[in-house]
Amino acid sequence: MTLADQPTPAPAQPARRSRRADAERNRAAIMEAAGVVFAEQGAAVDVREIARRSGVGMGTLYRHFPTKDDLLLTVLEQQFGTWLTDAHQQATATEDPWQALTGFFEQMLTTQAGNRAVVESYTTRGGPTDSCAQRCYSFIDELRTRCMDAGLLRPDVTTDDLVLLSGSLSQAVLTTGDSHPGQWRRLLRISLDGLSSRNTEPLPEPAVPIDTPGTTDREPEAPL
């Protein structure tokens, strides 16, 4: 047999798999460190701190996430998905519709109180992405419908009302977190009391949105 007749050696697969495994470990380390750092310091943090805590170089970080916004969005979407899944499971397991609604607000605001980047994203953008905001809107609508069918929620409360209330309470978490931690709990209790069907005085009519150039009709975005 000549050299030309000999089979071509197979590629070095173990080395390739090793490089891929290293890349996956680096990405996971970056995501884990970024989740902690963004929660502590918010979106304005220097990515060099994330690289330092994850134990990778800046070049490695940028190969996985070309910009800080890419990293932030990926982390927030992952955290949102985990939170919403847990919140939905908890609400489904709660037989009392009112407890399911109040539990949602409690869980939402507790999560935000421990994660600065999350609360920033919901108070400024309504969520990491439009799809995240829409999923949250649909969940709030489901909770509102359960309470309405049980006669526990004042009949003129809309899903939009609850979404805007979520945003207001999220802003309270952000603005009082350093000076008055936990102040949002008082505001939440006051707000929930106002939502009860015990209150029969009609609410003011909702304001008509002001049309501005370049705007389109859309459902309001829901904060976490």
Side-chain angles (χ1 to χ4, degrees), residues 25-38 40-41 45-65 67-68 71-72 75:
R25 282 194 295 270
N26 287 338
R27 180 182 176 86
I30 293 168
M31 288 282 292
E32 182 177 359
V36 174
V37 175
F38 282 137
E40 293 174 350
Q41 304 180 37
V45 67
D46 192 322
V47 292
R48 288 176 293 187
E49 175 64 11
I50 296 174
R52 184 187 69 80
R53 293 204 197 184
S54 62
V56 305
M58 290 297 295
T60 299
L61 188 149
Y62 282 126
R63 277 195 297 274
H64 288 281
F65 302 99
T67 69
K68 183 170 71 172
L71 177 56
L72 176 63
V75 169

Side-chain angles (χ1 to χ4, degrees), residues 41 114 141 208:
Q41 304 180 37
D141 183 64
V208 177

Side-chain angles (χ1 to χ4, degrees), residues 131-158:
S131 63
C132 289
Q134 183 56 50
R135 287 178 61 194
C136 196
Y137 185 96
S138 298
F139 183 37
I140 291 175
D141 183 64
E142 178 184 322
L143 294 171
R144 183 196 68 83
T145 300
R146 285 182 61 187
C147 286
M148 197 69 74
D149 290 345
L152 301 172
L153 193 69
R154 54 186 306 157
D156 46 359
V157 169
T158 67

Side-chain angles (χ1 to χ4, degrees), residues 48-165:
R48 288 176 293 187
E49 175 64 11
I50 296 174
R52 184 187 69 80
R53 293 204 197 184
S54 62
V56 305
M58 290 297 295
T60 299
L61 188 149
Y62 282 126
R63 277 195 297 274
H64 288 281
F65 302 99
T67 69
K68 183 170 71 172
D69 283 346
D70 291 331
L71 177 56
L72 176 63
L73 186 62
T74 302
V75 169
L76 290 180
E77 283 189 301
Q78 182 185 71
Q79 291 175 336
F80 176 87
T82 300
W83 169 81
L84 188 59
T85 298
D86 291 344
H88 200 277
Q89 290 176 346
Q90 179 175 316
T92 301
T94 303
E95 294 185 6
D96 185 276
W98 185 255
Q99 289 183 3
L101 178 66
T102 59
F104 161 77
F105 276 102
E106 287 274 3
Q107 188 179 18
M108 175 191 74
L109 296 171
T110 299
T111 298
Q112 292 183 351
N115 194 317
R116 188 172 186 86
V118 166
V119 71
E120 286 175 353
S121 76
Y122 290 104
T123 57
T124 59
R125 300 169 51 185
T129 65
D130 288 343
S131 63
C132 289
Q134 183 56 50
R135 287 178 61 194
C136 196
Y137 185 96
S138 298
F139 183 37
I140 291 175
D141 183 64
E142 178 184 322
L143 294 171
R144 183 196 68 83
T145 300
R146 285 182 61 187
C147 286
M148 197 69 74
D149 290 345
L152 301 172
L153 193 69
R154 54 186 306 157
D156 46 359
V157 169
T158 67
T159 301
D160 289 354
D161 292 329
L162 296 181
V163 169
L164 292 173
L165 177 61

